[in-house]
Amino acid sequence: MTARTLALFLVLPFVLPLTTLSAAPVLHQQGNLEALVAGEVDGASQKDVPALWQRALELRDAEKLASKEELDRALDSWLARAKELTPQAALLVSASRLLGSSPDVGKLVEALAPLVDAGDATLAAAASELLANRAFKTLAPTRRDEFANKMLKRAEDAALAPRLRLEFAKAAYRSGGGKERIKANTVLRSFLDSQDPELKAQGALSMAELDAVAIEGELRATLEKLKLVPDERGALAESYLQREDLRRANERTRGELLKRAEGSSTTPEMKEFLTVLRLIQERHLEGRQVKQEDLFEAAINGMLHYMDNHSNLLSSEQYARFYGELEAEYGGIGAYVNEDPDDGLFTIVKPIYSGPAYHTGLMTDDKIVRIGDWQTLGQPVDDIIKHLKGKPGTPVDLYVWRHGMEPGLIERPTEDMKVTVAREQVRIPPGTYQMLPGGVGLLQLDEFSQVAMEEARSWIEELKRLGMKSMILDLRFNGGGLLSGAVDVAELFLPRGKDVVSTEGPDRNHPEERRKETLRTRAKSPVLPESMPLVVLVGSSTASAAEIVSGALQDHGRAKLVGKTTYGKGSVQDLIQILPDTEDEWDDENQNRIRDPWEKITKDVDGDGEMDYAPRVKLTIAHYLLPSGRSIHRDIDREGHVISEGGVKPDMVVDAPAIEGWRIQEQRRIRKEVGKHVEATYAANRELYGRLAVNDQKRPELYPAFDELLGGLNTTLARDDVRRVLRYEVRRRVQDDRGAEFPAGDFVEDVQLQKAIEVALDGLGQKPTDVDDFNLVFDLPKPDPKGGIQLANRGSQELTRALSLLRGAQSGGKTLSREEMDQLIEILGTIDDRKN
C-alpha cells in the first residue's frame, strides 16, 4: 500500500477494504454528467466490491465536468430510484454520494438497508460498512441499533469467512450503542485470542482500526510482530502503533500539565476539578471513549444548573432548535405533524389553515406514506420533517393514505394518491379567535412570537367588526416567548405610558450594583376600548411572558383573571454567544437569522460542509417585577424545597372538573371509530354538524345515528361521555371544512370559560341566563361555604331545558310532539331520580 493510499484509507468516512488502489484515472468524458453516472451504474453489476470502492472514489473526479453539487444531484436521482438499482450499483452510488456534500441519509438507508439482509454476505458486509459511516449518526438510536443487531447476527455466524465476520463486527461497533459495542468487541476479541496466526492478525488489525481499546498487552504484541513484515499489513500495523504512541505522549503531556496545574497556585477548587478530569480520562471505564470537550460541556452545564433550572449551555444544534421555536415562520408545507401512536404512520395532526397543505386539500388525520420516492414508514419523525421542509416555491410530492383505502397502499402507494404541494414561507399561527353568543369575543394566544401582536391586533379588529361587546383573552396554554412580544400584546389593552414589567438584576458594566429597568406601553391608544370589559383566563401552564401580560392587566385593574394560579416563571434569560470565531456564515436570504437548508454557507470554519453555530449560554440575569412591584417567580432552594409559590393568582379560582383515568383511556380508545362515524355521515349532515360544533346543547339525540354509533362501540362510557368524544371529532372535522380553527376553550364543556363568560357579561350588566345558548349548557361554578368552588347542580340545567321545551310550544301555539314529550318525561325523571 502506498503512502497516499494509506492516507486515503485513514481519512475516508467509510472503511475501504485492504486492497491497493491505483491512481484515479480521469473518467471518460462522453456525453453529459447524467450519462456518465448512468454508464457507471450500468457497469456496476460486473464489478466486485474492491473495484466498486475504487470506482466510487474515481467517480468524484466527474466534478471536473460540472460541479460537486451537480454530481450530487445526479447521484441523488439514482438513489431516489433505489429499487431499480442492482446491489452493486446501490453500493457504488451510495459510496460516491457519501463523499459529496450533505448526503440525504433517508435515501441512502432506503438503498442500503435491504442489502444488509441480502443472501450475498459479501454485499451485505459492504452495505454494513457504508451504514457505519458517521453521516448515519443522525438516524434515531433505535434505528441504528436495529442495523447493528443485524450486523452482529452475521458477525457471530461461524460459517462465514473470517474477513466478512470482522467487517460485520466493525460495522456493528460503529453503528450501535453500548450493548452492541460490547458484543462486537467480544467477536473481535475472539479473533485476537485465536491460536491461528492469520485469524489473530486479522483480529488485531480490526481492533486497532476501531480504536476501541488501548493498544497494549496481547494486542500490542501482535501488532509489533506484524509491523516487521514488509507488506501492506505491516505498514498498517506500524501506523496504528505510531498513532497509539502519539496519543500516549499527548496524554502524558496533558497529565503533566494537569499535575502542574494541581500543584500550582491555582485555587483548591480548580485543582480539584483538574484532578477529577484527569482521573476520568485515565481510570474511568469509558474514559478513553469520551471527548474532553464533552466533559467540559457537562461541567459547564453542571455549574449553570446549580444556579437555576433555566440556565444552560446550548450547543450548535440546540441553539438552532431553540431559536427556531421563537421564530414563527419556516419554509414548508404548513401542517402540524407527528407519528400516530395507534398505527405508527406519519400523520397530519392538523393543517395550518393559511398554509399550502390545506389549500392543496390535505386534512386532519391524513397519512403521508411517501415523499417523492422516499418511504416514510419506519423513518424517524425528525427525518421526515426535514424532507417536508425546503425553499419556498419548490414543489414536493406527497403520497397520502386515508382511512377507507386498501391497507396495502401504505407500502405501495399509487400515483392517484400523489398530492403536489408548493412549499411556502409558512407563518405558525400564535392562536385563534371566535365570536361567542351574547357579544363575547374569545381570543386565544398560545405564544408570544414575533408575529403574535400583529395577529392579535387583526383578530381584535375583526371581533369588533362582528359586534363584540366584551372580550376574553385565553392565556391558559401560553408558555411565554419574547419579552418584547409581551409588551406589544399589553399595548393592545393598556393606554400609553403604563408600566408593563420591570427587570431587576446585576448591572452588566458594574456587576456589584443592581439595575432596574421598566418597560412601558408606547402606543397612542389601546386597540380594545378601555370601556369594554376584559377577562383573562390563566392556568398552571401560563408562564413567563404570559404571566407578565396577565399580571400587568390585573395590577392596572384593566382585567379580571379567572382560572388557576400561573406557573411562576419570573426570571429573565439572556442568550450570550461564546467563542464567536467558531460560527459559520451563510447567505440569509429570508433574513430570519437562522440558516435554512437551501441557504448557501459562505464561510465554513471547520470545513465539514455543515452549518455550525457558535455555542450560546442561556443565562438568568434578572427577575421580572409586575407594575405593583410583586415578583411572580417561584423560588426553590437547591434541595428542591419551595420557598415562594410565585405565580399570578386569579381573582376567581376555578378548577376544571377531574375525570377518572379509566374514562380518559376509554374515550381515547373509541376516538378512531367515532371519527370514522363522523366522516361517514358528514356529507349528508354538513350544516347540522356546523351548528352542533358551536353548541350541541349537550343533547346526544341531536347527532345523526347516535344510538347506532353507541351500540357499536362496545363501551362502558355513559351517553354524555360518548357525546363529548363525538363533539370533539365533529369540531375537528368542521374546522377542516371551514378552514378556521376553533379555540381550545369550548363554552359547552369548559367550566373555566363559562365562568369567564359570566364575568364578562357581568361587566355589561347581564347574566348567562339572558343568553339562550349559555342558559342551556352552563355548569356555572358557585362559591362553596367552605371557601372553595363547586359546580352547580345539573338539576337546574335540566329544568331549564324542560322549561325551554314548554315555552317553545306555548309561543308557537302548538302541542308538544311525541318526541318532545318523551324528552320532557326523560328530563323530569332524571331530576326526580336525583331527589330520591
Side-chain angles (χ1 to χ4, degrees):
M1 180 179 287
T2 64
R4 175 181 177 276
T5 304
L6 180 58
L8 278 173
F9 173 82
L10 293 175
V11 301
L12 278 175
F14 54 90
V15 183
L16 292 176
L18 301 180
T19 56
T20 304
L21 299 181
S22 60
V26 177
L27 286 166
H28 199 55
Q29 298 185 20
Q30 57 178 354
N32 57 24
L33 192 64
E34 288 78 10
L36 179 62
V37 175
E40 290 295 318
V41 169
D42 289 341
S45 58
Q46 306 302 317
K47 295 179 175 63
D48 60 13
V49 172
L52 291 172
W53 293 160
Q54 183 171 331
R55 295 306 292 173
L57 280 169
E58 294 169 354
L59 186 55
R60 296 308 306 186
D61 278 351
E63 295 172 10
K64 299 172 184 176
L65 300 179
S67 67
K68 177 184 286 190
E69 290 75 17
E70 289 185 55
L71 175 58
D72 287 343
R73 282 197 291 272
L75 293 168
D76 282 339
S77 70
W78 280 102
L79 288 173
R81 294 175 285 163
K83 293 179 181 178
E84 301 174 17
L85 296 174
T86 64
Q88 292 89 342
L91 291 173
L92 171 67
V93 173
S94 299
S96 191
R97 185 62 185 89
L98 279 167
L99 292 169
S101 299
S102 304
D104 187 326
V105 173
K107 289 181 179 178
L108 288 166
V109 167
E110 190 168 349
L112 295 172
L115 301 185
V116 178
D117 297 318
D120 189 325
T122 302
L123 296 178
S128 298
E129 288 183 64
L130 295 182
L131 285 168
N133 182 283
R134 62 174 175 266
F136 294 95
K137 292 295 184 184
T138 58
L139 290 178
T142 53
R143 185 75 163 145
R144 296 201 306 270
D145 290 348
E146 175 190 340
F147 288 138
N149 281 302
K150 289 182 178 181
M151 298 166 190
L152 282 170
K153 187 175 180 181
R154 294 216 163 190
E156 293 165 351
D157 184 358
L160 284 182
R163 179 184 63 81
L164 294 177
R165 292 183 62 197
L166 288 168
E167 295 299 339
F168 280 120
K170 289 187 293 183
Y173 186 92
R174 290 190 176 99
S175 300
K179 292 180 180 179
E180 290 74 24
R181 288 192 163 197
I182 292 172
K183 291 179 181 178
N185 202 40
T186 300
V187 174
L188 296 170
R189 173 63 66 176
S190 70
F191 277 79
L192 181 65
D193 294 339
S194 173
Q195 299 302 310
D196 185 314
E198 177 59 24
L199 296 182
K200 181 184 284 288
Q202 290 186 35
L205 289 172
S206 295
M207 292 184 73
E209 177 190 324
L210 287 175
D211 197 20
V213 296
I215 297 180
E216 56 190 10
E218 185 68 17
L219 176 57
R220 187 173 188 92
T222 305
L223 293 174
E224 290 283 2
K225 290 178 183 178
L226 280 174
K227 83 171 185 178
L228 300 176
V229 182
D231 62 4
E232 293 175 358
R233 296 203 304 185
L236 196 56
E238 184 175 14
S239 71
Y240 289 145
L241 289 167
Q242 289 173 352
R243 184 188 66 192
E244 179 69 13
D245 291 342
L246 180 61
R247 176 168 40 231
R248 289 187 178 188
N250 288 336
E251 287 180 353
R252 283 195 298 271
T253 301
R254 186 168 59 238
E256 290 169 2
L257 290 172
L258 288 173
K259 287 178 181 178
R260 284 203 295 270
E262 293 166 20
S264 67
S265 58
T266 56
T267 64
E269 293 81 8
M270 184 56 69
K271 291 180 182 178
E272 183 180 5
F273 172 78
L274 294 173
T275 300
V276 173
L277 176 63
R278 179 168 58 83
L279 286 172
I280 290 173
Q281 294 174 327
E282 294 180 359
R283 301 185 60 182
H284 191 279
L285 178 65
E286 298 182 0
R288 290 173 55 84
Q289 275 72 54
V290 69
K291 296 179 180 178
Q292 183 165 288
E293 53 263 38
D294 292 338
L295 292 174
F296 276 112
E297 182 177 323
I300 292 169
N301 266 321
M303 289 189 293
L304 292 168
H305 292 161
Y306 180 78
M307 297 306 298
D308 70 279
N309 292 331
H310 304 293
S311 295
N312 62 293
L313 178 69
L314 298 179
S315 66
S316 174
E317 296 80 8
Q318 290 168 331
Y319 169 71
R321 188 162 53 250
F322 173 81
Y323 192 84
E325 289 172 355
L326 291 179
E327 179 62 46
E329 296 187 6
Y330 70 95
I333 67 167
Y336 299 99
V337 293
N338 210 336
E339 182 179 294
D340 189 329
D342 292 331
D343 54 30
L345 298 179
F346 185 75
T347 303
I348 292 180
V349 177
K350 179 177 63 181
I352 294 174
Y353 295 114
S354 59
Y358 179 73
H359 293 150
T360 315
L362 297 184
M363 298 288 185
T364 298
D365 210 35
D366 280 351
K367 316 290 182 178
I368 300 176
V369 296
R370 201 170 88 189
I371 301 173
D373 293 313
W374 187 69
Q375 293 283 139
T376 63
L377 190 64
Q379 301 290 350
V381 170
D382 287 346
D383 286 355
I384 302 174
I385 291 173
K386 287 177 184 176
H387 280 76
L388 291 177
K389 288 185 176 181
K391 187 174 183 177
T394 59
V396 57
D397 292 335
L398 309 179
Y399 290 78
V400 179
W401 184 88
R402 288 173 171 148
H403 289 291
M405 291 182 172
E406 288 293 329
L409 294 174
I410 293 173
E411 295 191 22
R412 295 181 178 82
T414 55
E415 285 301 303
D416 59 340
M417 296 167 61
K418 183 172 76 174
V419 177
T420 300
V421 180
R423 297 182 178 99
E424 294 179 8
Q425 193 71 15
V426 178
R427 174 178 286 193
I428 301 173
T432 187
Y433 70 99
Q434 182 183 3
M435 189 67 193
L436 302 180
V440 179
L442 173 60
L443 175 63
Q444 176 183 313
L445 274 182
D446 298 330
E447 60 184 26
F448 290 126
S449 63
Q450 296 183 8
V451 302
M453 186 275 288
E454 180 183 336
E455 293 280 26
R457 176 186 294 273
S458 67
W459 292 341
I460 293 173
E461 294 290 3
E462 175 63 12
L463 288 169
K464 285 161 60 178
R465 188 187 68 79
L466 293 173
M468 176 172 64
K469 300 173 185 176
S470 62
M471 182 178 146
I472 297 169
L473 175 63
D474 192 348
L475 300 179
R476 287 177 294 177
F477 317 103
N478 193 316
L482 299 172
L483 178 60
S484 58
V487 176
D488 289 341
V489 170
E491 286 185 342
L492 301 174
F493 309 105
L494 293 173
R496 187 174 186 173
K498 292 291 186 180
D499 292 357
V500 177
V501 64
S502 298
T503 60
E504 190 176 78
D507 188 283
R508 175 175 292 186
N509 299 319
H510 306 283
E512 70 281 358
E513 299 178 6
R514 305 288 287 181
R515 180 184 179 185
K516 185 175 182 180
E517 182 179 359
T518 300
L519 301 178
R520 299 181 175 87
T521 54
R522 303 172 303 275
K524 291 183 179 180
S525 59
V527 177
L528 191 76
E530 294 183 68
S531 60
M532 189 173 291
L534 176 63
V535 182
V536 180
L537 273 169
V538 294
S540 58
S541 296
T542 308
S544 192
E547 293 177 281
I548 292 171
V549 171
S550 56
L553 294 175
Q554 186 183 53
D555 278 1
H556 288 297
R558 179 62 187 91
K560 295 288 186 182
L561 269 58
V562 173
K564 296 286 292 179
T565 301
T566 63
Y567 179 81
K569 198 270 184 182
S571 58
V572 185
Q573 282 73 45
D574 193 8
L575 208 56
I576 304 168
Q577 186 187 66
I578 58 176
L579 307 178
D581 292 342
T582 65
E583 181 154 298
D584 294 343
E585 297 176 5
W586 73 100
D587 184 9
D588 192 5
E589 296 178 17
N590 54 11
Q591 298 296 306
N592 65 348
R593 291 181 290 179
I594 200 82
R595 183 191 171 251
D596 295 296
W598 62 87
E599 293 174 335
K600 183 179 180 181
I601 298 175
T602 57
K603 180 182 177 182
D604 190 353
V605 175
D606 59 3
D608 65 350
E610 301 290 337
M611 178 64 203
D612 298 309
Y613 298 96
R616 265 78 169 172
V617 169
K618 186 152 69 82
L619 191 68
T620 299
I621 60 169
H623 275 141
Y624 294 130
L625 296 175
L626 294 177
S628 62
R630 57 179 169 148
S631 171
I632 60 174
H633 195 62
R634 188 172 189 241
D635 285 318
I636 302 175
D637 65 20
R638 293 191 172 96
E639 282 72 44
H641 303 126
V642 177
I643 301 172
S644 171
E645 287 291 345
V648 178
K649 294 177 174 55
D651 300 293
M652 279 142 283
V653 177
V654 181
D655 279 314
I659 302 177
E660 297 95 326
W662 73 268
R663 288 172 61 199
I664 295 175
Q665 291 179 353
E666 183 65 3
Q667 286 175 354
R668 287 175 179 165
R669 186 189 69 79
I670 68 172
R671 264 190 58 193
K672 288 290 182 186
E673 285 304 312
V674 174
K676 291 177 183 178
H677 172 81
V678 172
E679 198 60 42
T681 57
Y682 190 80
N685 299 279
R686 184 181 178 195
E687 290 186 11
L688 172 61
Y689 276 141
R691 294 193 300 272
L692 294 177
V694 176
N695 186 1
D696 68 355
Q697 303 176 37
K698 296 187 176 180
R699 293 172 58 188
E701 68 274 8
L702 296 181
Y703 289 93
F706 179 85
D707 289 329
E708 180 182 336
L709 168 66
L710 181 62
L713 289 175
N714 190 26
T715 181
T716 55
L717 289 171
R719 286 172 62 86
D720 194 58
D721 283 336
V722 175
R723 178 198 61 81
R724 287 171 183 263
V725 178
L726 178 56
R727 176 170 172 74
Y728 175 82
E729 292 298 321
V730 165
R731 282 167 69 88
R732 285 212 312 169
R733 183 64 182 85
V734 169
Q735 67 184 15
D736 271 2
D737 191 11
R738 69 177 192 168
E741 185 178 2
F742 285 110
D746 174 9
F747 73 82
V748 174
E749 314 288 355
D750 187 342
V751 295
Q752 291 177 329
L753 177 58
Q754 290 175 3
K755 184 62 179 178
I757 291 171
E758 181 186 44
V759 175
L761 290 175
D762 185 62
L764 300 172
Q766 299 177 6
K767 297 178 180 179
T769 51
D770 298 331
V771 181
D772 287 341
D773 279 294
F774 299 151
N775 193 32
L776 291 171
V777 297
F778 269 31
D779 286 326
L780 284 173
K782 65 180 183 179
D784 190 320
K786 298 179 180 179
I789 295 289
Q790 63 179 8
L791 296 180
N793 191 312
R794 281 295 301 274
S796 60
Q797 180 192 121
E798 286 151 352
L799 185 58
T800 300
R801 280 182 56 199
L803 290 172
S804 178
L805 286 170
L806 292 171
R807 285 171 179 160
Q810 184 183 42
S811 62
K814 61 182 182 65
T815 59
L816 289 173
S817 67
R818 186 176 189 86
E819 180 183 352
E820 290 171 330
M821 185 66 74
D822 288 342
Q823 290 180 33
L824 184 60
I825 292 171
E826 178 186 354
I827 292 168
L828 295 176
T830 302
I831 297 173
D832 189 57
D833 287 343
R834 281 208 179 93
K835 289 167 63 179
N836 294 331

